[in-house]
Structures are given as C-alpha cells and as structure tokens.
Amino acid sequence: RSPRVFTFRYTDFSGLEIPMIKLSRIAIPILVSAMGISLAAAIALLLGNGTISTWAISENKEINFSFTLQVMVLVVSFAAIGFVYFFDKTSFKTFFRLRTSREENDWNTLGPVLAIGFTLGTTMYMSFAVTSKHGVINGQFWKLLPLVLLFAATNAWSEEIISRFVIVAGLYGKLSSSVICWISAVIFGGSHFLGTPSGIFGVMMAGLMGWILAKSMIETKALGWALFIHFLQDVVIFGGGAMIIAGTR
C-alpha cells in the first residue's frame, strides 16, 4: 500500500470581506442603540439602589431621581449623536433636522391625527394610575408643571435619539425601510417592559409607537414628528406623576 499523502489547499476568503463589512455596518448601529438603552437602564438601577447619588433639587426623592436620570441619559444621547455623525455623515445631515416635514406629504395630516390618537390613549392609560393613587390638580401640581415639561422634553429627546435616530440614520440605505422600522420597534418596545407603560402591554404599545415614529422619520427626513408625538406622551406620563405627588402632600 502506498503511503497516504496529506495536501494542504489554500482557501481564498477575500470574497467574504465585502459582505462582512456590510454586515458590520448594519450591526454597529443596532449595537450602539441597544447599548444606549442598556446604559440608561443601568443608570436608573444604580440611582434606584443608591449606588449613584441623586442630585437634590427637591424634597421629593422621585423628583430628584428623575432629574438626575434625565441629565445623565441626556449625556448618553449626545454621545449617540456624535456616533451617528462620524459613522455616516450623509445620513446624519439627512435626518438630523427638527422640522416636521420638508415638503407637502401625508405626514401633514398623519402627524396631527397620530399625535391626538396616541395622546388620548396615553391619557386613558394614565388616568387609571392617577385615580387609584388619588392624584390631584392643585397648587403643588402647578408648581411641578415646569419640571413636567422639562422632563418630557429631555426624555423624548434622549429616547428618540438613542432608539430611533441611531437606528434610522445608521441603517438608512443599508436595509429596507420596513426592516428599519421593525428594528426600532423591537428596541423601543423591549425597553418599556419595566417602563411606563410596562409589561407585555407596554412592550406592544411602545413597539407600535416606535414603528410609526421610525416611519415618520424615514418619510419626512426629519426628527420633528417623532419628537413632538413622543413629547406629548411624556407630558401626560410625567404630568400624571406630578398629580400623584401633589395628592400625597
């Protein structure tokens, strides 16, 4: 029997370079968005258990918690903006606009209708919590109203940047619009399992809103409607919290 001869064949993997580069360009924005959401959740956890001290602007611990969390997550959102700028400057310039629309389109009608619809739904949801916890509108509530508006604005900004802008601007032109919307919906919805609204219902409702707001951003090439609609929901949520706080004093 002749001896077995072992041969080594050279395999050329150069053809995989372009697909791998494309895959990484898709994965990176998703990873950055997920990391931003995770970092925000970690900050909330550390503030909640006292590992990180809250900044005192009020006698109420919940207000101090919210203020500190909003400021810290706002920093994360600015880092996310910087990422998008260096990752894809063309997409950054395309989507980083605060207007609601660049021209006449369906969102001139859809935007107001969705803003009203979502806000009514959020109001109905929050009314149960406010009623069960004896929330009231009194002098204390009106004193808290400026903070309600501030927190609503910063929260809407941070969440839209981290879970929407990073995904839309980072993936635009690399995946279809529908896939981009679904990715944003999953990230935004999943982050609300312990949020407001919470649980499976919260995941579904936040996911639906996330899908629609991502679609608004893609079709208007701007942040305007996403920020405005989100801001209204947060006004209702933080306003409900202020009513509850006012009812305990």
Side-chain angles (χ1 to χ4, degrees):
R1 176 186 292 181
S2 60
R4 183 175 298 176
V5 177
F6 293 93
T7 60
F8 296 90
R9 295 182 178 180
Y10 171 74
T11 302
D12 184 5
F13 291 101
S14 61
L16 295 176
E17 290 180 1
I18 293 178
M20 288 300 294
I21 292 174
K22 289 182 177 179
L23 182 61
S24 66
R25 297 287 290 181
I26 292 171
I28 290 174
I30 298 173
L31 181 61
V32 169
S33 179
M35 287 175 61
I37 294 293
S38 299
L39 182 56
I43 292 171
L45 178 64
L46 294 174
L47 286 171
N49 63 24
T51 302
I52 299 178
S53 299
T54 58
W55 297 322
I57 64 168
S58 167
E59 296 177 357
N60 186 280
K61 293 182 179 180
E62 293 181 6
I63 293 175
N64 294 335
F65 172 87
S66 294
F67 176 78
T68 308
L69 177 63
Q70 292 301 321
V71 172
M72 290 185 173
V73 177
L74 197 61
V75 174
V76 177
S77 76
F78 290 140
I81 291 173
F83 158 76
V84 176
Y85 178 80
F86 290 106
F87 182 76
D88 193 329
K89 291 184 180 180
T90 300
S91 285
F92 178 89
K93 293 176 181 179
T94 299
F95 293 101
F96 195 68
R97 308 171 190 271
L98 298 181
R99 65 193 181 197
T100 54
S101 179
R102 63 178 179 177
E103 57 188 17
E104 290 293 326
N105 58 40
D106 292 341
W107 280 95
N108 292 327
T109 300
L110 275 175
V113 170
L114 289 169
I116 293 171
F118 273 119
T119 304
L120 288 175
T122 304
T123 300
M124 292 178 62
Y125 173 83
M126 286 300 298
S127 66
F128 294 106
V130 172
T131 302
S132 65
K133 295 183 180 180
H134 310 291
V136 297
I137 296 178
N138 55 19
Q140 182 62 29
F141 169 80
W142 293 114
K143 290 180 181 179
L144 292 174
L145 186 57
L147 284 177
V148 167
L149 298 176
L150 175 63
F151 292 168
T154 56
N155 192 70
W157 171 269
S158 295
E159 290 191 353
E160 286 305 312
I161 292 298
I162 296 170
S163 64
R164 206 95 53 233
F165 177 67
V166 169
I167 294 298
V168 172
L171 298 179
Y172 187 73
K174 305 173 183 68
L175 295 173
S176 68
S177 295
S178 61
V179 172
I180 293 173
C181 290
W182 279 112
I183 292 173
S184 179
V186 170
I187 290 176
F188 188 63
S191 68
H192 279 75
F193 185 75
L194 297 176
T196 303
S198 60
I200 299 301
F201 175 78
V203 170
M204 293 176 63
M205 291 300 99
L208 173 63
M209 191 172 84
W211 192 94
I212 291 174
L213 297 189
K215 184 176 177 66
S216 79
M217 198 175 293
I218 292 171
E219 294 185 353
T220 64
K221 301 296 186 293
L223 293 160
W225 279 119
L227 283 172
F228 179 66
I229 294 173
H230 197 149
F231 169 74
L232 291 180
Q233 311 321 301
D234 284 345
V235 168
V236 174
I237 293 170
F238 284 106
M243 292 180 195
I244 294 170
I245 292 173
T248 60
R249 294 192 174 187

